[in-house]
Structure formats: structure tokens, C-alpha cells
């Protein structure tokens, strides 16, 4: 079945309709490109064809390149990627030059794009090669080049065309940040040409084709008088742009994301040479990024596997469990956030707290988020009213009658939780699924308070709820399949990404984050300079150093968790050295960001200043410091080994969840694709060697788990996909 359908109307305008069979969204494959190529040849050769409109048979134009194909392309090696990309450039260039005789500037055929909705990646790069882009006035449509978000960059001419069209400065947010806009925003940014009512889309596009003049078909960069907007690098203005952009990119990425640097190089080097040469440079940079194991690890975790989890890869086979009415117990920071995301997704919410004031305060949280949205032009006043009307704030448990899911987010206290569980279950009825948002208490223990432990589950949100995309679902020992399906369907409704793990101390995410924080603090206690610890983490691509992270999550909470963990573990407790530091910090009144004092200093307005100098009085930095690599290995292995142990112990049952969960849950070095992705990049043998060195120097906590040692012996990896290369 064909991806592209040909139609020629009586007026001589051909319509090429993109309609990938069997998919709700068009995605481009190499075979699709070959089909498009043949149809363009046909249009250019047939004298009856005056021009072409390229459009879509679906509600959107296209979601981009099929990333599965891209991941597979690596298997063919650099030459195959480069040749494949150049083949695409040839087709797109054929569209752009339109068969025109460039000596006389005559004889070309207009080719335009008509976008009914979303146009992303190659779905925008193809239109960018046409002579005019029309988009339907569809505010839901997203237009842009998000490739950078999955570790690659626009390599289908998008980098070269957008930078030449808009100049490096205006192109930066589109290319470097992957910013998406609705059609009106895309027009304002200069990416597309016209926004028209949906019903007039094809008519307007055809009328333009019939009226187009020869001059309309010459792209600015194919005109002799073309100058790079804002100046190419050798121009003083352009020079400043590129120096600034280079510094900004390195500041933001710390040099760990190969795609950002390659993108900048493609724009910079491309701007110095003629257009066709620039496309070749773009293809070469794209090839080098695709050959880097980081890009396939990112595509795998942030696109392919993230989507698979969102679509329910690990959902039990149970009938649809979509939530219609939700009960939320506790309207504090977490409960209020959960109520907001649910109401925003169209779910009716009963928000309960011990007093009406507290419940109202929880509802007011939604109001303030919606007001912010109105200020930024993202939310209409009518939408605000609609979302708020779904939240009933009350102290009356009777209001829970008819809710099909309850999420409990009261104080972190097993007795308080047991009390509200009983009351709420009685009020809601037998069918209700009951979820706790606890971050530290084992689910199986809490389920003892439930009349129906099979319907009891953990749904662990991260703070702030409206921003954090991961939700950790925890199966207690008795949790049944319907509860898991309910939790997964709820997470799908609120458009977040779920992982499902088994019950154990700190579940998965916190289990890995805590050793990371502790390793950082332990190094401070050993006399390692705090700035070295923090910068080493940043240079690994961690969004926050361990000291900043504990400031954000609160040192007071760290103290509480340390006390509870020690009580539970007794003589086996391994973190006395860490506790001495945080207990001392707490004694100094430095409880973290919320008190404007922690490992960092803060201004009165709460802005983070430098590291707190008082720390050096108690823990002076040694004259001899560890190497950067040693500090990084300690910080990385502290997290990664815990992830492997979670897998060995069956807390994690799927490495995809371990990787996606790590990146979305605590920002684990996204360039690596996650802890298991990172281990595959360096190889199990190298990982075991690092563990051996760290164990000899710093202790048994770095001993390689058996699973890793076996992999090193057998030469296997976690994913072992074809084309995966191993760096030493
Ligand atoms: P919070 O103190 O902000 O809110 C708790 C709310 O529960 C308060 O409004 C309180 O009035 C209410 N409450 C207490 N007892 C109640 C009762 N008997 N009936 C009704 N309401 C009652 O706490 P939080 O930070 O929102 O945390 C809530 C839960 O979420 C805890 O279990 C916590 O471990 C978990 N959690 C917190 C975070 C976080 O970052 N804060 C992250 C994940 C999970």
C-alpha cells in the first residue's frame, strides 16, 4: 500500500496526499521518500501538471521520521547513514528547484505544502523545501523541529533551511530548544507563510499554485543577492551571535549532549559555504551524531520506550479502567497538585482535607496555576472556570460516594494513613481502588489498613506534580491486576509516563537518588571540595549536583529519612558518615531551600547564590583532591549499581522502566539513555573494572552486583540491540 496518493484536478494542479497506511499519524520511511521522489518526477515531467499541493489524508500532516528506522540505520554504519541522508536532500532539493532553468529563472513548477495540523521533524522539513507553506488555523496543531529532545538534530535540511531563513539568532529556540508553536506562532516566527481557515486550506493552496510567478519559486538562498540574516560568522553581528550561542550551548549542556554541538557546527560551518555544500555539512554532522551511542540510547529511552510505557507495555489484560471521578485525601502540596492534573484532564475530583480552609487552599493551588496560564496566554478564562468547576473541596467523606479511584496524600504517618484509608473506603464503596502517594512507607504494610488489599496500590507522584512527568506505580504483595490497570489508565489520562515496580524500601527512584545524594555528602565529609562534587555531577549531565538536590528536597526531610532508615536497618546501617554532616547542618538551622539556607546560600528572594562558605569551617577541603573522573565514577556508580540491584531483586522487572524512570524521575544523565543505557555504552567489563577500583579505595558499597559480573564474563549487555557499539 502506498504512503502517497496522486490526484490531478481539471485545472492542472496535482495533489500528493500523504497517508501512511495503518497509522493514525504520518511518519516518514526511506520507502516513503522513494515514493514521494517518483511522484515529484511525474509532476515535473507531465506537461499537464501546472503545480503541486502536498498535503495529508489525516488530521495532522506528519509526526516526523520513523525513529525506529533511524535507530536501525546505525547498523549500516556511517557511509549508509550519510548516503541515506544525502538521498533525502536530493529529493527535497528537487522540490525546491522545481525544475526551473536557473540561467533564465523560468520554467519551474510551484510546489506548496498544505498542513491540516501538526507538522514535526521531517514533517516540517519537507514543507520547508516547498515554495510556500499553508497551515489550517488549528490551535491544537504543533509545528516545529523537536529532534534535539531525543538526542539528534534536524538532518533533513531543517537546520540549514531554518538558519538561512531566519538567521542564527531567531533559529536558535527552534533548532536548539526544539520549541514547538501553533500555526499562528509558527507564522509569527517566520517558519510558515499563511494560516487559513481549515475549510479553505486546499483551495487557497491551489489558488496560489495557479497564480505563482517565476520569482515566487526562487528561494532567498538561491538568489545571488542572498545574505545570511543577522550576518554570517565573518560579519561582526554574526560573529557575536555565534560566540554567544556557543557559550550558551556549552553552559546549558556542559558539553555532554553531542547533538547540540553538532547542530551548532552545522549552522556555523554551513553559513560559510553555498547552500548545497551546507546540506552536505549538515549530513556529515548528522551522521556523526547518529553514530554516537548517546543518540541511539536517547532515541531508545526518550522516544521508543517512553511511548511503549505510555501505551501500556506492562498493563495487565483487564478491561478499560479510565477514571471518571477521583477522590484525593489531603490537600497539601502533593494532594493539591494531583487534584489539578486530574481536573485538567477532565476528571471530576473530590478533594478532602481535615479542615475546610485546608481543602480550599488545595483548590486555590489549581486556581493560581490556571491564572499563571492565563497570564502566559496558554489558558482561556473559560477553560479556567471549567477546570475549577471539576474540583469539589470539602471535609465531608460522604462526597466520596461514586469515586472509582482514591489517591491518599495525607501526612507521611502510617497511623494517619490507616485512619483515612478506612473512612474513605467505607464511604466510597466496594469497587473503589485505593492508592497511596507515600514516598517512604512500604505499600504492603499500609495495605493492612485496607478492607480490600487486592485493590490497594501505590501511585507515587514527584514534586511539583504539574511539572514532573514520571509516576511510579507500586504493586504491594497483595495488589491485584485491576488496581495496576486502574493506576496505569489514570496516568495515561493525565498524560504522564508510568513505571510499575514491586514493593521494597524507597521503591525505585528514591532508592537510587538517596545514594547519589549520600555519596556527594560523604565526599564533603572526606574533605573533597563541594564545588568539585557539584561540578563533577553537572559535567555528567545531571541537572542538579547532590548538594543542590538535597537543598531542594529539604535537609530536614533527609534527617527524617535517615532516622527512619537507621531504625529499620539497625546494625547494617551504612550511612553514619553522611548523617553526621546532615545532622550538623540541621543543627545550624540550615534545612535547605525552604529556609533559605542549606549547602548553598540564598538571597531573601530565594535565589540560589554560591555554596555556603561556613561548610569549609567544619569540613575543610583537603590539599590533595580526588581526580574529576574518580568523583564522577563515585556519583554515577552510586545510582547505577542501585538500579542494577533493584533489577536483580525484582523491584524493577523491565530495564526500559529503569531507564525511562531514571531520566524522567530524577534527571539521570539523559544523554546516556538511563543507568542501563550507560552501562551498555561503557560495557559491563569496564563497569566491573571501575567497581573494582572504587571498592578498593572507597568501600564495599561499590562491589559489582552478580548480574553485572556475569555480563562482563559473557560479553553481553542489557539491551544488546544490533549496531550497538561499545566504547572502552
Ligand atoms: P503536606 O503536609 O503538604 O500535605 C498533607 C496534607 O494532608 C495537609 O494538608 C494535611 O492537612 C492533610 N491531612 C493530614 N491528616 C489528614 C486527615 N486525617 N484527613 C485529611 N487530611 C489530612 O504533605 P505533602 O508533601 O503533600 O505529602 C503528602 C504525601 O505525599 C506524603 O505521604 C508524602 O510522603 C508524599 N510525597 C511527598 C512528596 C514531596 O515531595 N513532598 C513527593 C512524593 C510523595
Amino acid at each position: 500500500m502506498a504512503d502517497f496518493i496522486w490526484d490531478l484536478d481539471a485545472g492542472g494542479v496535482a495533489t500528493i496526499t500523504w497517508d501512511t497506511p495503518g497509522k493514525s499519524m504520518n511518519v516518514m520511511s526511506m520507502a516513503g521518500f522513494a515514493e514521494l521522489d517518483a511522484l515529484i518526477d511525474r509532476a515535473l515531467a507531465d506537461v499537464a501538471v501546472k503545480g503541486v499541493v502536498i498535503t495529508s489524508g489525516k488530521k495532522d500532516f506528519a509526526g516526523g521520521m520513523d525513529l525506529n528506522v533511524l535507530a536501525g540505520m546505525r547498523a549500516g554504519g556511517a557511509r549508509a547513514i550519510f548516503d541515506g541522508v544525502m538521498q533525502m536532500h536530493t529529493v527535497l532539493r528537487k522540490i525546491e528547484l522545481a525544475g526551473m532553468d536557473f540561467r533564465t529563472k523560468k520554467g519551474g513548477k510551484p510546489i506548496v505544502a498544505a498542513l491540516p495540523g501538526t507538522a514535526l521533524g521531517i514533517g516540517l522539513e519537507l514543507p520547508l523545501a516547498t515554495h510556500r507553506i499553508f497551515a489550517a488555523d488549528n490551535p491544537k496543531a504543533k509545528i516545529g523541529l523537536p529532534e534535539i529532545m531525543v538526542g539528534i538534530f534536524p538532518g533533513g535540511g531543517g537546520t540549514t533551511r531554518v538558519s538561512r531563513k531566519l538567521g542564527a539568532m531567531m533559529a536558535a529556540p527552534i533548532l536548539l530548544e526544539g520549541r514547538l508553536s501553533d500555526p499562528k506562532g509558527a507564522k509569527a516566527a517566520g517558519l510558515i507563510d499563511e494560516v487559513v481557515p481549515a475549510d479553505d486550506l486546499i483551495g487557497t493552496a491551489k489558488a496560489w499554485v495557479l497564480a505563482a510567478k517565476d520569482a515566487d519559486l526562487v528561494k532567498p538562498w538561491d538568489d545571488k543577492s542572498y545574505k545570511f540574516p543577522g550576518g554570517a560568522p565573518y560579519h561582526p553581528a554574526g560573529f557575536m551571535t555565534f560566540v554567544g550561542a556557543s557559550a550558551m550551548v556549552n553552559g546549558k549542556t556542559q558539553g555532554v549532549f553531542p547533538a547540540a554541538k553538532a547542530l551548532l557546527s552545522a549552522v556555523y560551518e554551513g553559513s560559510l559555504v553555498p547552500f548545497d555544500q551546507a546540506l552536505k555539512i549538515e549530513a556529515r554532522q548528522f551522521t556523526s551524531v547518529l553514530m554516537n551511542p548517546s543518540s541511539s540510547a536517547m532515541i531508545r529511552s526518550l522516544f521508543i520506550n517512553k511511548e511503549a510505557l505510555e501505551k501500556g507495555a506492562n498493563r495487565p489484560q483487564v478491561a478499560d479502567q479510565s477514571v471518571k471521578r477521583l477522590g484525593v485525601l489531603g490537600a497539601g502540596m502533593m494532594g493539591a497538585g494531583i487534584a489539578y492534573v486530574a481536573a485538567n484532564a477532565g476528571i471530576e475530583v473530590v478533594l478532602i482535607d481535615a479542615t475546610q480552609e485546608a481543602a480550599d487552599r488545595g483548590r486555590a493551588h489549581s486556581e493560581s496555576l490556571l491564572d499563571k496560564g492565563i497570564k502566559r496566554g496558554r489558558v482561556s478564562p473559560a477553560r479556567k472556570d471549567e477546570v475549577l468547576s471539576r474540583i469539589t473541596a470539602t471535609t465531608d467523606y460522604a462526597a466520596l460516594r461514586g469515586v472509582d479511584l482514591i489517591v491518599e496524600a495525607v501526612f507521611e504517618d502510617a497511623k494517619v494513613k490507616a485512619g483515612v484509608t478506612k473512612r474513605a473506603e467505607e464511604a466510597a464503596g466496594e469497587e473503589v481502588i485505593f492508592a497511596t502517594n507515600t514516598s517512604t512507607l512500604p505499600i504492603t504494610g499500609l495495605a493492612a489498613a485496607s478492607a480490600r488489599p487486592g485493590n490497594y496500590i501505590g501511585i507515587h507522584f514527584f514534586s511539583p506534580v504539574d511539572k514532573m512527568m514520571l509516576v511510579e506505580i507500586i504493586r504491594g504483595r497483595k495488589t491485584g491486576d485491576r488496581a495496576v490497570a486502574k493506576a496505569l489508565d489514570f496516568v495515561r489520562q493525565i498524560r504522564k509516563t508510568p513505571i510499575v515496580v514491586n514493593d521494597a524500601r524507597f521503591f525505585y527512584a528514591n532508592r537510587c537518588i538517596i545514594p547519589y545524594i549520600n555519596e556527594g555528602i560523604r565526599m564533603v565529609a572526606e574533605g573533597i571540595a563541594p564545588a568539585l562534587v557539584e561540578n563533577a555531577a553537572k559535567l555528567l549531565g545531571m541537572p542538579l549536583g547532590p548538594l543542590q538536590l538535597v537543598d531542594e528536597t529539604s535537609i530536614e526531610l533527609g534527617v527524617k529519612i535517615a532516622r527512619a532508615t537507621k531504625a529499620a536497618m539497625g546494625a547494617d546501617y551504612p550511612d553514619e558518615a553522611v548523617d553526621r554532616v546532615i545532622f550538623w547542618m540541621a543543627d545550624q538551622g540550615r534545612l535547605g531551600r525552604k529556609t533559605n539556607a542549606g549547602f548553598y546560600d540564598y538571597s531573601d528572594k530565594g535565589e540560589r547564590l554560591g555554596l555556603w562558605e561556613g561548610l569549609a569551617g567544619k569540613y575543610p577541603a583537603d590539599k590533595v583532591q580526588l581526580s574529576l573522573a574518580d568523583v564522577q565514577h563515585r556519583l554515577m556508580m552510586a545510582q547505577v549499581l542501585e538500579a542494577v540491584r533493584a533489577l536483580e531483586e525484582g523491584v524493577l522487572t523491565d530495564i526500559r522502566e529503569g531507564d525511562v524512570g531514571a531520566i524522567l524521575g530524577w534527571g539521570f544523565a539523559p544523554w546516556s539513555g538511563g543507568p542501563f543505557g550507560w552501562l551498555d555504552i561503557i560495557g559491563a567489563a569496564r563497569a566491573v573494572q571501575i567497581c573494582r577500583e572504587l571498592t578498593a579505595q572507597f568501600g564495599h558499597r561499590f562491589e559489582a552486583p552478580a548480574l553485572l559480573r556475569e555480563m562482563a564474563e559473557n560479553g553481553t549487555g542489557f539491551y544488546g540491540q544490533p549496531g550497538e557499539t561499545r566504547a572502552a
Side-chain angles (χ1 to χ4, degrees), residues 329-335 352-354 358 397 408-412 416-417 420 436-440 460-463:
L329 308 182
M333 188 166 88
M334 299 304 289
I352 291 194
D353 207 298
Y397 279 66
E408 167 276 300
V410 300
F411 297 141
E412 189 73 339
V416 178
K417 288 190 187 294
V420 299
T436 173
N437 181 47
T438 179
S439 35
T440 60
H460 181 209
F461 284 86
F462 295 78
S463 172

Side-chain angles (χ1 to χ4, degrees), residues 294-426:
S294 164
S295 71
S296 53
M298 283 181 81
I299 291 175
R300 184 179 57 215
S301 287
L302 290 172
F303 183 79
I304 298 172
N305 292 345
K306 176 173 169 291
E307 199 174 274
L309 299 179
E310 285 163 1
K311 285 193 173 153
N314 292 325
R315 186 185 182 282
Q317 299 288 325
V318 172
D320 178 40
Q321 295 291 321
S322 299
V323 176
K324 288 172 201 72
R325 229 166 113 78
L326 173 76
V328 178
L329 308 182
M333 188 166 88
M334 299 304 289
I338 296 164
Y340 168 73
V341 294
N344 217 10
I347 300 170
E348 295 290 324
V349 181
V350 178
L351 178 59
I352 291 194
D353 207 298
T355 65
Q356 189 61 42
E357 287 99 289
D360 289 341
R361 226 180 298 128
R363 188 173 182 273
H365 173 69
S366 289
E367 189 161 11
S368 89
L369 288 177
L370 290 161
D371 282 339
K372 254 189 221 158
I374 290 179
K375 245 191 214 156
R376 293 192 185 139
R378 293 202 194 121
V379 175
S380 68
R383 167 87 187 152
K384 173 186 160 183
D385 293 345
E386 181 195 327
V387 174
L388 276 183
S389 73
R390 293 197 190 107
I391 306 177
T392 308
T394 177
T395 58
D396 181 10
Y397 279 66
L400 290 173
R401 172 135 304 276
V403 300
D404 48 325
L405 175 69
I406 294 174
V407 179
E408 167 276 300
V410 300
F411 297 141
E412 189 73 339
D413 179 314
K415 271 201 205 112
V416 178
K417 288 190 187 294
V420 299
T421 304
K422 283 203 173 82
R423 270 184 84 183
E425 278 185 349
E426 274 163 25

